[in-house]
Amino acid sequence: MSVEKMTMMNIIGKVDEVDGVLKDLLKTKKVDLVSALKQIEENNFLFDVSDENVDRLIDLNYITSYEKDEKFEEVVKKGEELESILNLEFDRAAIDTDAPMMKKEVIISEIEQIYHEVQEPKAMIHALEKEVDYLENFHANSFKEVQDFPVTIEELRNMEYFSFKMGILSKEDRYKLKKNYENILAILLHTGTSVDGEVYFVLYPSKLEEEMKRILRSLNFREIIIPKEYSGTPQEIREKLERNKERLHSEIQGQENILEEIKSRHKDRIKQLIDQLWLTSRLDDIKRNVAISKKYFYLSGWIAESDVAEMKRVLGGHEDMLSMFKGDTSEKPPTKLKNNWFFEPFQWLVNLYGTPAYNELDPTPFVGLSYMLFWGIMFGDLGQGAVLVLGGIWLGKKMKLFGGLLTRLGISSMIFGTLYGAVFGIETLIPALWMKPFENINDILMVAIFAGIGILLVSYVYGIINAYKRHDIEEGLFGKEGVAGVILYLMLLAIVGGSLLGIQIIPMPLGVAIAVVALLGIVFRLPLTHMIEKKKPLHGDDVGGYYVESIFSLIETFLAMLSGTISFIRVGAFALTHVGLFLAFETIGHMSGTTMGAIIAMVVGNIFVLGLEGLIVFIQGMRLQYYELFSRYYKGDGQEFKPVSLENN
């Protein structure tokens, strides 16, 4: 339950070994690669200059970044196209990453050969399918209404005084045609429907050819050109179309059989090639962080110190490999969180706000316990908690972290539901082991406030520790969230809280005196810090502006302490709302006057509360974490540890 200590790993090896080394490292999923070229340029890639390393040192003069092979990228696309053409589906997760790596030349040659073999049948199928689409979409429905017409196309073409056209009009253009139909000197017959619109036959005097072209153009008339090879009556043309379609489908089937034969003959080899193609391509993508010279490759990456032994073992399987591990570095390491199985789902909530800095406490356990506490108080119900647990288990199969989070919140609901004596909103089935919120309104509100005060005090402790880890004396000792801020908050609680409760927690003069000292510490935090650090001058250039800002910050500090404490009342308020909603649905059920009506009302009520109120309480819990707690102790400006693997980059 902490931030793991990191170390920088630098590796130098022979350039022809780079794929094998990368593959073995990435299979561990424990290396966050960084740019080796940048490490070298900034003199962070250091190794012992001994006789055996002289060659590696000289070769640094020829260092360059790795550049992807564009020709290989084209072959990758052809491989993907080959999978699609042959209708092959290969599971990337089932790739044998332990198989020996093929040379790129072999992969390219064989992929190109098979790709060339499938191109001819593929092109034929594409052309034939285009022709089928043309027949089906352009001609098949063109003669629907005139298929019993005894007139042949030849007779129409040979008319002396009349001409004809066939074409398509859209829905909007049909309306324009209807409005102006009486002004058009032509006969228009609706003959069918195509995918592009409605098909019309237009018969008009030949002398009006130009006029008709203008009219039809204004109607966006898309003419259907009837090929000269189509002759006879419309019915005969349709029959010929059907015969042509049957012939085309037969030819398509023949070409598909050729592809199937190629697939059957090469399937196993294609799988090997595609696997190697994908694997090599992934390694090429990852190698953008690798630097290479004439003889060697240079690799840098962050790993956890606890993984150093495993990395040495992995690298030990490669000859002539030089590896160095250094924990002390000027670079800011990424943050790798280490939490047990129970708190791990709450990392999702933490990372939504921001990743902890490397020198910052991991807040995940604190977030987990406090969030479950708030959730349980607000949403305490044994039955609904059980539903959340089951839902979390089911959801966890697809969304591990969110499913786990839902399961833990459900457990918290079940615990507080048992304490409240509530099962699916019914408070008469089991006795309350603690109290019933609606019967103890003041008590539940006080519990919420005291729980909030306790959580706030823990957040102050987290903030002080984080300031110490950052070596920030000003914020850690004298900041409003530092030691001075905690003392001031405790004194305010003792003085104001004691007065409200009618008890003396601390003598008033002593409490006021301590509070004043804390206030002075906050006001004079900069000069006090400089005195401790023996820095001069004690103030900045604008002394007056500093103190004006400090005084105004005191007002902000008081308001933040007051609002932060009072805001936890809403935790108790939501507990009362939870019960109140069920009372409302119970009342509706009684008003129905039937047992079935009461049951339906409670079922609907539970669905409503689980859905809508559950979402509101979830958001409210996040608000308390992010705005009331994180603002006091957590920056979340770290860089997340992102180990690369063969599956993702």
Side-chain angles (χ1 to χ4, degrees), residues 434-446 576:
W434 181 27
M435 65 174 171
K436 294 185 181 296
F438 224 65
E439 297 175 5
N440 301 272
I441 295 176
N442 289 334
D443 291 343
I444 195 66
L445 293 177
M446 290 300 294
L576 297 173

Side-chain angles (χ1 to χ4, degrees), residues 496-615:
V496 178
S499 299
L500 293 174
L501 296 174
I503 59 175
Q504 186 179 40
I505 300 174
I506 188 172
M508 180 70 73
L510 178 60
V512 172
I514 296 174
V516 169
V517 171
L519 281 170
L520 291 174
I522 294 173
V523 171
F524 295 99
R525 62 184 181 277
L526 182 60
L528 288 172
T529 302
H530 283 184
M531 287 177 62
I532 294 172
E533 295 177 342
K534 298 180 180 180
K535 290 182 179 180
K536 290 186 179 181
L538 296 180
H539 300 85
D541 295 333
D542 187 5
V543 178
Y546 166 76
Y547 284 109
V548 169
E549 182 183 346
S550 294
I551 293 171
F552 276 106
S553 71
L554 285 180
I555 300 173
E556 180 190 354
T557 299
F558 282 119
L559 290 175
M561 289 178 177
L562 178 64
S563 63
T565 304
I566 294 176
S567 68
F568 286 95
I569 290 180
R570 71 187 69 200
V571 175
F574 270 102
L576 297 173
T577 302
H578 188 74
V579 180
L581 283 172
F582 279 115
L583 287 175
F585 280 102
E586 187 178 356
T587 302
I588 293 172
H590 287 313
M591 289 172 62
S592 68
T594 63
T595 303
M596 182 57 67
I599 293 173
I600 292 173
M602 290 305 292
V603 170
V604 172
N606 273 276
I607 294 172
F608 176 82
V609 169
L610 267 170
L612 184 59
E613 193 200 348
L615 177 62

Side-chain angles (χ1 to χ4, degrees), residues 89 94-95 100 159 181 216 236 265 289 354 396 450 472 506 621-622:
E89 292 184 6
I95 289 177
M159 287 187 296
Y181 187 73
L216 294 177
E236 290 171 344
R265 182 157 37 92
N289 286 311
F450 280 114
D472 189 345
I506 188 172
M622 291 177 68

Side-chain angles (χ1 to χ4, degrees), residues 112-178:
E112 291 277 14
Q113 182 181 343
I114 299 173
Y115 183 80
H116 179 73
E117 192 174 346
V118 302
Q119 277 305 293
E120 185 176 346
K122 177 213 166 188
M124 285 292 295
I125 290 173
H126 180 69
L128 292 168
E129 285 179 341
K130 256 184 107 176
E131 197 169 343
V132 170
D133 288 341
Y134 176 79
L135 294 179
E136 289 181 344
N137 297 331
F138 222 50
H139 288 80
N141 296 316
S142 299
F143 305 98
K144 182 178 179 182
E145 303 297 333
V146 293
Q147 59 184 347
D148 296 327
F149 226 48
V151 180
T152 65
I153 294 297
E154 288 86 346
E155 290 176 307
L156 291 174
R157 286 175 176 151
N158 295 328
M159 287 187 296
E160 184 176 354
Y161 300 108
F162 286 88
S163 297
F164 78 98
K165 293 183 185 297
M166 293 194 69
I168 300 169
L169 289 176
S170 67
K171 185 177 181 181
E172 294 77 10
D173 293 325
R174 288 178 63 197
Y175 290 141
K176 288 167 63 178
L177 174 64
K178 288 181 179 179

